Amino acid sequence: MPRIGVFVCQCGNNIASTVDTKKVAGEMSKLPGVVFTCDYKFMCSSPGQEMLKQAIKENKLDGVIVSACSPHMHEKTFRKASEAAGLNPYQCEITNIREQCSWVHHDKTRATGTVKSIDLTRMTIERLKRNKPLKKIKIPVRKKALVIGGGIAGIQAALDIAEGGRDVILVEKEPSIGGNMARLSETFPTMDCSQCILTPKMVEAELNERITLYTYSEVEKVDGYIGNFTVQIRRKSKYVDEDRCTGCGECIEKCPFKVESQFELNLTKRKVIYTPFPQSVPNVPVIDAPNCPKIQKDKCGACAIACGPKCIDFKMQDKIVTEEVGAIVVATGYQLMPNERFGEYGYGRIKDVISGMQFERLASSSGPTGGEIRRPSDGKVPQSVVFIQCVGSRDEKKGVSYCSKVCCMYTAKHTMLYSHKVHGGQAYVFYMDIRSGGKRYEEFVRKAIEHDNAMYLRGRVSRVYEKDGRVVVQGADTLSGSQVEIEADMVVLATAIVSREGADTLAQRLGIGYDKDKFYNEYHPKLRPVETVTAGIFLAGTCMGPMDIPESVAQGSAAASKVLALFSADEMAREPITSVVNRATCNACWDCLTACPYSAIERESVKDRQGNIVRWLAKVNEGVCQGCGVCVAACRSKSIDLRGYTDEQVYAAINAF
Amino acid sequence: MKMKLSNEDISSVRVRQIERISGEDVRKCYQCGNCSGGCPVSFEMEIPPSQVVRFLQLGRVDEVMAANSMWVCVGCLQCYSRCPKGVSVAAMLEALRQTVLRKGEDFEKIKDLPYPFLKKAPQQALVCGFRKFVS
Amino acid sequence: MKIPYYPGCTLNTVAKHFDASARDAAVSMGFEMEELAQWNCCGATFPLTPDNLIGLTAPAKVLSNARKAGDTLTTLCSVCYNVLKRTNKVMKDSKEKRAVVNGFIEEEYDGSLNIIHYLEVLRDRVGFVKVKEAVKRPLKGVKAGCYYGCMLLRPFEDIGIDNAERPTVFEDLLRALGAEVVDFPNKIECCGAHLAMNNEDVVVRLSGNVMTSAVGMGAELIVTSCPLCQYNLEKSQPKVSERTAGYAGVPIAYFTQILGLALGQPVEGLGFEKNATDIMPLLQKKGIV
Ligand SMILES: Cc1cc2nc3c(=O)[nH]c(=O)nc-3n(C[C@H](O)[C@H](O)[C@H](O)COP(=O)(O)OP(=O)(O)OC[C@H]3O[C@@H](n4cnc5c(N)ncnc54)[C@H](O)[C@@H]3O)c2cc1C
Ligand code: SF4
Ligand code: SF4
Ligand code: SF4
Ligand code: SF4
């Protein structure tokens, strides 16, 4: 006969207000096999846990049930306490009588809640009676990390992991690391020059011996599980031998062809062999193959002639490299919503309507105008500039529903940069709300208004059109209740921050979740902000949603510390709630294999003495299995069971109902 | 101007009526002002479109009923077309007109219209005008 | 190809030349506009409040008659087009409203008509390439401003003929006819619409903005697709000229008149004399007639 103890928690009034816990305990004591029952105000408190331990010892319990809140909350707590009292931790089960019972019933007579709690607890007792003691699964950890995306978040994560003494591979799809921050001129709220604070970090990443940089590369395939990932990385052909290139730049000099520069957001042109920007890391040019006449039709070849060390190879092919890593940090960043979507703002049609990021380039001393604010159409210095905030943000109809979070701040920054660079120039800002919740952020915006004389108008702009070489902005100032029209020389749109194109494909490859806007989901938005539901894969920066540099950096460091914690032991323990195949009855139909959302099922062959394959069997990779139970439902021959939730246990629970 | 607000204002039955007729929800508007910025007759309105919605949000139907806004709205739908929240001020203004016209109160008297206009104007102007101004 | 056609009241009265020129142009493009045997006024405005079902009965009646003549219906007037197309959508999408309206007009109409504007016939059925081939009198050197107004474009989700902020269908047609098109900011703004009835000031201001902005961008001709736009612009022209320094007026014509002209139809038959503004000096200057 089992010796079971039942502990019913009142959770203050959370449970007790609609459940008569004493009665529940009383009813349970009548059941066969139950040798101890009690109810208590807070089971999770220290005295509560002590009581549990004591009861286990004193009554020689071989199984306990805590009827309390969701197992998500305190299953760990009570299993730990049970273990401390000498019980196999998996002999402790939770009945959820709070989220699934007391909170959803409002019957103050406590009739419904009590009856339901009794039913639920009785079901758990029957399940517990059929429990088998389980042991944690130990898996080895490969202590090398992969960081995907070399923006500031990814760079920070890589540096911190390397600092912690572990090897890192940093994969960046562009020819240089740096990401969007490399485009910025000065940065709020301290106005330090973006390149000046970013470049040292980029160089550090390049020089650090523990960091391997794979630029111009993308992750193609990810297999395995926490501690044991195998990734395939495509290293796109740069047509330049990275090891021998000295970065002298002769090739770029001699290349006779120019195309629009993506880095400069089409504000200027670059050569066909190029580095995105002067401080690129690594300082190795790449050939833009689709635009290179030598590669396309065997004409030119000027760069190869110019190159001293002869490291240009027009026949170079993409390479696939395979790496084994124990953890992955995803830091793939953001992009901006295409402004063309807003026909009324004239972007793409009116040359002097530009995006905020283009303004960053105009203001940047390494940008196409050398840091002078000149408008694209005719190069004149604009005497009045209208900034329009929330373009595409907070716009359910044509854009995205969320707030892009950084544009209020960078617009204020833009007005300051503008007023410093163009004396006498007037900045106008159309805004709906000013969101400046950060350390010294509000003061920063006020400074733009009070010190740098930016004219803030509360209202959206309805349309922008051209008239006599000027750009007319028609909008509203809702504070005065009037329609306003401003004839300006240039208009800057603070465009919405959106997820990267292809963010969903990468997420599917990695097996991590994303939201309706294709930003990656954190495990828990408050308590586990840099983890994903897939163990061993972490997040950092704007791939999760709009944020500024300080936050991106903090997240990079946070993800790194998670990785280092994971790498601190040689083996890691996993919950043993995994499925297991009955080798006698499995007929290898592979229904489970197709059903498993985590790709945890593998094909196993059974061989005879001669080594001929005589049979195939499904096999569960315990490192990957999340214990979701989908395979159990899919298996037609009932050959898979989930540990802790076997068919036998579940049926027993149902029968007890 | 001073407004004294009460719970009754905020949950004004008359606003609910406007919402029912127009099929719009005044709470959806976040007062961005795009409609007022783009409305071609904003300049002529005593209360511009976004403020019409604001007054309705505050339960102040009298203020908007007293203003000319609903009668000068040309129904061009620019407000709706560009509203980031998909709110149609045009529909609210039409609902306001309807509350007057449905009581049988005409804004225009057909017999007062000048003869040359009646003769020369496109039929559609007459029919449309009657629908907007006459019960 | 015969396409069932709903002219609407105005095209049967003060805008007869809009109607006639469209029918003639159709013939030379190889299709025929077949007027519905029976039709009534569309109501001239789509009720903006969804509870106003009475306003849907007149257009629904038109639609149900038209459905008996075929599965497509074409119109010319932007307002008729707007009202019919939006009503059709309600009849198609809302089971409840359909039942009430059908009950009222004693019909069983289900919203299965395809409502297309004459411009769509030219663009999607004939094709602008074909139109271009048929041009006999190219409008070389004529700088035309295409005035869309409101009802041809809005609301986008119900009408969808073209991008509501940056439409091109009109310009594409005029280009096919050999004209140069000028883009002007007010081409999708209102002319003043029914305020023609009681607020001349506003109409003059709005129509004036349309014309001066077109002329400001170099337009020598404004092309319309709505009799009310045409009327408001024409009627406001003298006042606008009075009030705007340096503005000398601009000819305004229906697009079908311009189409007929380019297709080589006799100039006398195009009804230019019925327009309040004289297009002839422009055509002579450009050597088109
Ligand atoms: C106009 C503007 C001005 C701004 N000004 C400021 C400011 O003044 N101060 C401030 O704090 N913040 C500012 N920000 C915000 C700032 O840009 C971001 O917070 C920061 O750049 C986010 O860094 P990140 O690393 O998350 O993303 P990113 O900078 O976008 O980096 C992501 C990197 O990942 C790479 N990548 C993407 N997909 C893949 C893939 N599949 N494989 C490999 N690599 C991939 C990208 O190429 C990129 O290098 C501004 C933003 C804008 C738009
Ligand atoms: S010339 Fe050769 S060594 Fe110099 S940057 Fe170009 S590829 Fe590198
Ligand atoms: S940060 Fe400011 S400008 Fe950007 S979307 Fe949010 S409110 Fe609009
Ligand atoms: S545009 Fe829409 S959300 Fe903005 S003020 Fe007008 S009704 Fe409100
Ligand atoms: S529909 Fe009326 S309120 Fe809306 S923009 Fe047009 S005139 Fe203004």
Side-chain angles (χ1 to χ4, degrees), chain B residues 20-24 38-41 43-44 71-78 80-82 88 90-92 94-95 97-98 102 107-108 113-114 116-134, chain C residues 9-10 13-14 41-52 54-56 58-59 77 79-80 82 86 150-151 154-157 164-165 188-190 192-199 201-202 205-206 226-228 231 235:
Chain B
R20 207 165 45 243
I21 299 177
S22 65
E24 297 291 324
C39 173
V41 289
F43 68 89
E44 181 79 1
W71 304 113
V72 295
C73 163
V74 284
C76 69
L77 297 184
Q78 205 59 285
Y80 169 64
S81 178
R82 290 183 182 147
S88 174
M92 293 187 201
E94 178 129 314
R97 279 192 297 273
Q98 292 290 337
R102 285 177 190 179
F107 183 71
E108 280 299 336
L113 291 172
F117 170 74
L118 290 174
K119 190 147 188 308
K120 280 254 181 72
Q123 275 56 36
Q124 59 186 121
L126 300 175
V127 179
C128 179
F130 294 160
R131 290 203 149 181
K132 301 278 183 191
F133 301 136
V134 183
Chain C
C9 316
T10 314
T13 50
V14 299
C41 172
C42 72
T45 175
F46 181 80
L48 296 178
T49 55
D51 81 329
N52 185 357
I54 274 291
L56 299 180
C77 162
V79 174
C80 299
N82 184 287
R86 295 189 74 183
C150 315
M151 293 299 132
R154 290 188 288 271
F156 174 74
E157 31 328 347
E165 293 291 347
I188 61 166
E189 298 293 324
C190 183
H194 60 274
L195 292 192
M197 185 171 271
N198 58 6
N199 203 331
D201 247 22
V202 168
R205 188 150 161 184
L206 299 193
C226 167
L228 186 48
Y231 173 82
K235 184 116 193 306

Side-chain angles (χ1 to χ4, degrees), chain A residues 287-504:
Chain A
I287 299 182
D288 170 2
N291 283 313
C292 171
K294 175 75 186 170
I295 292 170
Q296 296 305 328
K297 34 188 196 220
D298 200 21
K299 291 204 176 98
C300 187
C303 52
I305 300 168
C307 177
K310 297 291 167 232
C311 45
I312 296 180
D313 171 8
F314 296 110
K315 298 254 148 29
M316 192 183 272
Q317 297 293 316
D318 291 6
K319 267 198 278 274
I320 307 279
V321 292
T322 304
E323 293 280 355
E324 311 272 323
V325 297
I328 300 175
V329 177
V330 187
T332 45
Y334 69 97
Q335 67 181 42
L336 295 168
M337 180 184 284
N339 286 314
E340 286 79 359
R341 201 183 291 186
F342 299 87
E344 60 268 46
Y345 292 163
Y347 187 88
R349 186 173 34 145
I350 306 172
K351 280 202 177 124
D352 295 322
V353 176
I354 63 171
S355 71
M357 197 52 112
Q358 284 175 318
F359 189 87
E360 294 282 345
R361 293 314 298 152
L362 293 184
S364 167
S365 51
S366 62
T369 55
E372 285 178 36
I373 307 294
R374 294 186 175 279
R375 62 182 202 172
S377 65
D378 54 8
K380 276 201 198 123
V381 176
Q383 292 309 308
S384 51
V385 179
V386 173
F387 295 87
I388 306 178
Q389 292 194 172
C390 296
V391 177
S393 304
R394 309 171 67 192
D395 182 341
E396 287 157 27
K397 225 168 137 201
K398 290 188 202 161
V400 293
S401 56
Y402 55 84
C403 161
S404 289
K405 200 169 171 185
V406 292
C407 14
C408 278
M409 288 303 293
Y410 76 62
T411 299
K413 172 183 78 175
H414 289 172
T415 67
M416 286 184 188
L417 290 171
Y418 173 64
S419 88
H420 298 171
K421 285 169 187 272
V422 180
H423 292 286
Q426 179 65 51
Y428 300 87
V429 179
F430 281 94
Y431 72 98
M432 286 205 284
D433 301 283
I434 300 177
R435 299 192 165 165
S436 52
K439 203 167 161 183
R440 299 262 168 270
Y441 283 15
E442 174 63 14
E443 293 90 326
F444 184 84
V445 176
R446 288 315 305 171
K447 188 160 166 256
I449 297 169
E450 293 168 24
H451 187 264
D452 291 312
N453 204 30
M455 173 46 78
Y456 271 65
L457 298 147
R458 197 207 164 276
R460 259 192 193 263
V461 168
S462 177
R463 65 171 179 149
V464 174
Y465 59 93
E466 239 174 334
K467 193 178 168 194
D468 309 326
R470 305 198 80 190
V471 198
V472 187
V473 179
Q474 187 185 319
D477 173 46
T478 62
L479 298 181
S480 65
S482 20
Q483 203 170 28
V484 277
E485 209 170 82
I486 299 169
E487 284 190 21
D489 298 314
M490 191 164 88
V491 170
V492 182
L493 309 179
T495 330
I497 283 189
V498 295
S499 54
R500 289 251 176 206
E501 218 181 300
D504 43 352

Side-chain angles (χ1 to χ4, degrees), chain C residues 272-284:
Chain C
F272 283 129
E273 71 289 350
K274 297 210 177 75
N275 297 348
T277 50
D278 191 1
I279 194 176
M280 291 326 262
L282 172 71
L283 299 183
Q284 278 151 6

Side-chain angles (χ1 to χ4, degrees), chain B residues 127 131, chain C residues 6 9 36 38-47 52-66 73 80 83-84 87-88 91 101-102 104-105 107 109:
Chain B
V127 179
R131 290 203 149 181
Chain C
Y6 171 78
C9 316
L36 295 180
Q38 217 192 0
W39 57 266
N40 51 273
C41 172
C42 72
T45 175
F46 181 80
N52 185 357
L53 297 185
I54 274 291
L56 299 180
T57 52
K61 185 87 189 169
V62 173
L63 297 171
S64 90
N65 278 334
L73 180 65
C80 299
V83 175
L84 294 179
T87 306
N88 199 47
M91 293 300 279
V101 174
N102 273 336
F104 229 89
I105 60 174
E107 296 280 359
Y109 180 62

